[in-house]
Amino acid sequence: MTEPTPARIADILRQVRDADGSTILDHAALDTTMLRDGTLHVALATDRAAAGRIQSLLPAAEQALLALPGVVAASVILTAHRPAAAPAPAPAGGHRPLNLGTPGGRPAQGPILPDVRTVIAVASGKGGVGKSTTAVNLAVGLGMEGLRVGLLDADIHGPSLPRMMGLHQPPQVRDGRMTPLEAWGIRAMSIGLLVDERQAMIWRGPMVMGALGQLLGDVEWGALDVLVVDMPPGTGDAQLTLAQKVSLAGAVIVSTPQDIALLDARRGIAMFEKMNVPVLGMVENMSYFCCPNCGHRTDLFGHGGARAEAEALGVPFLGEIPLLADIRASADAGAPIVISTPDSPAGLAYRALAHTVAATVRRVK
């Protein structure tokens, strides 16, 4: 089935009008479109003032898009921030749209994650240290420990969870709420499941915060023992938003051994301490390299830096993860190394990390 052209989608949207006769595209511009397995995802770019005005038109727009050939479901999102306001009620028999990229979204109705016992952040002070790989293998490893686990990719600008988990389908949307995808025994959600992986997420801070809030609150996570959140690198909006919206049980800090990475990891630990979030410990990734041919061990980035830093800061040291080509290959193939080669040095290291964190999760009341 040929994907509907942007021009045809625009024609449909121009048929959606408000009370004064203005069309939805009089207040917004068609940004991106994508059809996956019968679900049409449409992003509309608008400004702050107009976003509130067209909010009530989104259910009608989604309904109108069903007339396109090959479209069995539609989701329209806004890529702009707007003033906080009570959303218009959903039409009878319809559903409230997912306005990813807008702060607020669904109004608060009790705890944002009422059936999730614990939430753990996996963070780093800088990018490129293997944080996402650690988060994915930790989450799957916790599932192998017998826990009910969810994994949220909170890196809005650089979502990597879909590729690393082998997920390619968009989530189902029912009554304005998304159902996380399941893979390798856990439930997973990422903004990368809603947009083309080649699309650049050029969003400002308020839009990122709104998207993160909705990935938490507008997803049917169900009953979980632990939700692992793969944080973006740094100490910015996403970290603050998460700490404000949910009660974090703790944070796992990932670093490589060299001093420059440890400096940034130290900042990450300081940030969580200021937010009164316990630091569960540090992980030293790319700790050493073992030659696959001769077995010789080389400390490419130094060795033991994270252990020493953890001791200096008074936080637990959670283990060393080797630098192996198999880790990269398994991530590219969409099968975490704790699944693909669980008895490899890396697989065993991640399993040991998951075992340690699982004990902490079980102690949380």
Side-chain angles (χ1 to χ4, degrees), residues 36-270:
R36 279 186 181 175
D37 296 328
T39 300
L40 179 63
H41 297 274
V42 176
L44 299 177
T46 186
D47 59 30
R48 181 172 182 172
R53 179 172 182 174
I54 65 176
Q55 171 71 32
S56 61
L57 299 178
L58 297 183
E62 293 174 330
Q63 186 65 33
L65 291 169
L66 298 181
L68 292 170
V71 176
V72 297
S75 175
V76 180
I77 64 175
L78 300 179
T79 57
H81 62 282
R82 58 183 173 85
H95 65 267
R96 195 179 307 280
L98 295 172
N99 303 312
L100 291 173
T102 65
R106 179 176 298 275
Q109 298 177 351
I112 193 170
L113 295 170
D115 299 318
V116 177
R117 288 184 58 243
T118 53
V119 182
I120 293 175
V122 177
S124 64
K126 62 176 295 181
V129 298
K131 168 188 55 61
S132 293
T133 304
T134 300
V136 167
N137 282 281
L138 171 61
V140 176
L142 288 171
M144 297 168 73
E145 291 284 322
L147 298 174
R148 297 168 299 177
V149 183
L151 175 61
L152 171 61
D153 184 355
D155 193 348
I156 303 299
H157 290 114
S160 56
L161 182 150
R163 175 64 63 91
M164 298 176 72
M165 291 287 288
L167 297 173
H168 308 291
Q169 309 300 321
Q172 295 293 317
V173 181
R174 297 185 179 90
D175 296 326
R177 295 177 66 80
M178 293 179 287
T179 301
L181 301 187
E182 296 196 10
W184 310 118
I186 69 172
R187 302 168 191 169
M189 178 57 64
S190 169
I191 191 72
L193 295 170
L194 302 174
V195 299
D196 191 282
E197 67 177 6
R198 296 165 296 183
Q199 178 182 341
M201 304 302 292
I202 310 173
W203 287 3
R204 295 184 183 274
M207 297 162 69
V208 171
M209 294 163 64
L212 178 57
Q214 289 188 275
L215 289 174
L216 287 165
D218 280 342
V219 173
E220 290 289 352
W221 288 105
L224 296 177
D225 295 310
V226 57
L227 176 65
V228 177
V229 182
D230 178 17
M231 303 297 295
T235 55
D237 292 329
Q239 289 82 354
L240 293 173
T241 297
L242 185 70
Q244 291 167 353
K245 290 184 175 294
V246 300
S247 178
L248 284 172
V252 173
I253 307 299
V254 181
S255 179
T256 49
Q258 66 265 50
D259 290 344
I260 191 65
L262 292 169
L263 286 173
D264 293 316
R266 192 178 302 136
R267 296 187 184 98
I269 291 175

